[in-house]
């Protein structure tokens, strides 16, 4: 089955074509980032994001199919992000997908954005086998899931306030760094001392697998306000904050693996591209005989490939929806049906 995937949940317009035939896989993909448009505002402006998706979608799909020499007649289905995300942005992709599905006479299916992220490592040459624990860590979500198959998800823990990626972005704004904040903090952290400030590791002193980053953000703000300025102050704060956030994520992952008795860990979402997180997690897992699986860096952020892949799994299982357009800004992943 050859599936066109469309991703428009926030500030990236992604399209891709995935073929689940043996030896085929991802045939083509294109991605347009809106960072340059939102940078003056210090964050995503939903109305601008929606309008830019409208401008970009048709040219992206047309150019991708032309360059890959793929015709509409060879598309067997269309998958699009139906949630969670910005409602207006989601609607642009949904309307495009439904229109193409009607015009081409193929089924369409709305895909859960975080299921796309979770399954992205399955696009790699050596995908993880089920079951595994997944850490979904992005600007909008921080969740630990037990994954026994596609659609067979058990929520183990999640953030009770800001997601990890959101904490990175807000710390960057506190420090006057450029948008997007996560990469800016990570770059500056390379030049700082990660032991310069004793920031807390939130919620590690209590049982359970939930996360909280609000106290860590407050500690960063206090350090910024109470520490004399110096040439290295901001870099040291970045390094110490990143160390605390990464340490918290890793220790919760190890706790989840111990609790479930599993050894395979999938790391997905925008923050999964963080180099310190990958390096420190690799060391921690090696000590317990565990193994980590990641998407390629190009597929850590929002992209059409993960939506095409996730949609192909569900379309192949016989799932599809009618022509009505429905998106969900909030959508618990545990509500998804299992794929046989």
């Amino acid at each position: 089955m050859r599936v066109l995937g469309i991703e428009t949940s926030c500030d990236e317009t992604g399209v891709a074509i995935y073929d689940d035939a043996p030896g085929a896989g991802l045939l083509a993909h294109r991605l347009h980032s809106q960072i340059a448009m939102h940078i003056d505002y210090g964050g995503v402006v939903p109305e601008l994001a929606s309008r830019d998706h409208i401008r970009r979608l048709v040219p992206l799909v047309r150019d991708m199919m032309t360059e890959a020499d793929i015709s509409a007649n060879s598309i067997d289905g269309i998958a699009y992000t139906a949630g969670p995300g910005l409602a207006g942005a989601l609607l642009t992709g949904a309307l495009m997908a439904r229109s193409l599905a009607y015009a081409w006479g193929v089924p369409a299916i709305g895909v859960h954005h975080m299921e796309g992220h979770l399954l992205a490592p399955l696009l790699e040459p050596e995908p993880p086998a089920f079951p595994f624990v997944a850490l979904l860590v992005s600007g909008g979500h921080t969740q630990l899931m037990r994954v026994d198959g596609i659609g067979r998800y058990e929520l183990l823990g999640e953030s009770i306030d800001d997601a990890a990626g959101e904490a990175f972005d807000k710390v960057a704004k506190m420090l006057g760094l450029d948008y997007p904040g996560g990469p800016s903090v990570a770059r500056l952290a390379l030049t700082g001392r990660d032991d310069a400030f004793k920031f807390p590791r939130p919620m590690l002193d209590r049982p359970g697998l939930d996360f909280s980053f609000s106290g860590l953000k407050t500690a960063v703000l206090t350090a910024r306000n109470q520490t004399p300025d110096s040439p290295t102050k901001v870099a040291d704060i970045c390094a110490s904050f990143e160390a605390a956030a990464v340490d918290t994520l890793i220790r919760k992952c190890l706790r989840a693996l111990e609790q479930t008795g599993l050894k395979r860990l999938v790391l997905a979402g925008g923050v999964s591209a963080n180099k310190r997180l990958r390096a420190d997690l690799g060391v921690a897992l090696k000590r317990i005989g565990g193994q980590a699986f990641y998407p390629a860096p190009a597929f850590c952020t929002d992209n059409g490939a993960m939506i095409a892949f996730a949609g192909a799994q569900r379309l192949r299982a016989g799932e599809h929806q009618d022509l009505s357009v429905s998106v969900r800004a909030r959508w618990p992943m545990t509500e998804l049906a299992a794929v046989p």
Side-chain angles (χ1 to χ4, degrees):
M1 172 171 281
R2 187 172 285 186
V3 176
L4 168 65
I6 297 174
E7 155 61 25
T8 61
S9 64
C10 189
D11 60 342
E12 276 130 352
T13 311
V15 297
I17 296 175
Y18 176 81
D19 192 332
D20 67 358
L26 185 63
L27 303 182
H29 69 95
R30 296 287 294 272
L31 182 69
H32 172 75
S33 173
Q34 299 178 0
I35 287 175
M37 182 177 67
H38 296 294
I39 194 168
D40 290 340
Y41 303 94
V44 177
V45 181
E47 179 66 19
L48 294 181
S50 302
R51 290 177 180 273
D52 198 61
H53 288 312
I54 294 171
R55 286 194 295 269
R56 306 287 179 178
L57 266 174
V58 171
L60 277 176
V61 171
R62 182 192 298 119
D63 292 348
M64 177 188 65
M65 294 180 68
T66 298
E67 290 180 13
D69 194 23
I70 295 172
S71 68
N73 292 334
S74 66
I75 300 297
D76 301 305
I78 300 177
Y80 64 94
T81 304
L86 302 175
L90 292 168
L91 280 169
T92 63
L95 288 166
M96 171 79 168
R98 288 295 175 194
S99 299
L100 290 179
Y102 179 77
W104 295 349
V106 297
I109 189 166
V111 171
H112 193 290
H113 178 74
M114 295 310 295
E115 181 174 57
H117 276 303
L118 187 152
L119 299 179
L122 273 65
L123 286 163
E124 298 304 303
E126 297 183 8
F130 299 113
F132 55 77
V133 170
L135 173 64
L136 303 176
V137 56
S138 67
H141 298 82
T142 302
Q143 297 178 322
L144 277 166
M145 310 281 292
R146 179 188 171 111
V147 181
D148 290 296
I150 297 175
R152 298 171 62 195
Y153 309 133
E154 178 188 355
L155 180 63
L156 303 175
E158 62 184 339
S159 180
I160 62 174
D161 41 55
D162 290 345
E166 187 178 3
F168 269 86
D169 289 340
K170 289 183 177 179
V171 164
K173 185 169 287 190
M174 291 177 195
L175 299 175
L177 302 181
D178 291 337
Y179 169 84
S184 295
V185 169
R187 281 193 299 271
L188 202 54
L190 295 173
T191 65
R193 290 176 44 227
D194 62 11
D195 61 350
F197 295 90
K198 301 297 182 183
F199 290 143
R201 272 61 173 165
M203 297 186 71
L204 292 182
D205 59 347
R206 66 188 74 179
L209 296 171
D210 286 337
F211 301 89
S212 171
F213 293 100
S214 60
L216 178 55
K217 287 188 314 178
T218 301
V220 170
L221 182 61
T222 300
R224 188 205 68 179
N225 292 339
Q226 296 183 354
T227 306
D229 288 334
S230 71
T232 61
K233 172 182 172 179
V234 174
D236 287 346
I237 290 177
C238 287
S240 299
F241 163 75
E242 184 182 52
V246 165
D247 188 32
T248 300
L249 291 170
I250 290 174
R251 288 163 69 179
K252 290 283 186 172
C253 286
L254 296 178
R255 190 180 292 182
L257 291 171
E258 181 181 13
Q259 178 177 306
T260 59
L262 300 175
K263 295 293 185 181
R264 289 183 291 272
L265 178 72
V266 158
L267 186 63
V271 182
S272 68
N274 182 279
K275 293 180 179 179
R276 174 160 191 156
L277 177 57
R278 291 194 179 207
D280 290 1
L281 185 59
V283 172
L285 289 177
K286 187 176 181 180
R287 289 199 297 264
I288 65 168
Q291 187 176 7
F293 298 86
Y294 312 95
F299 301 135
C300 289
T301 56
D302 298 347
N303 63 88
M306 68 183 192
I307 301 304
F309 178 82
Q313 312 313 306
R314 293 190 171 275
L315 287 168
R316 172 64 71 183
E319 289 189 35
H320 66 277
Q321 293 150 349
D322 59 29
L323 290 173
S324 62
V325 175
S326 177
V327 298
R328 298 179 62 176
R330 297 183 180 276
W331 186 6
M333 202 162 71
T334 50
E335 293 182 3
L336 296 176
V339 172

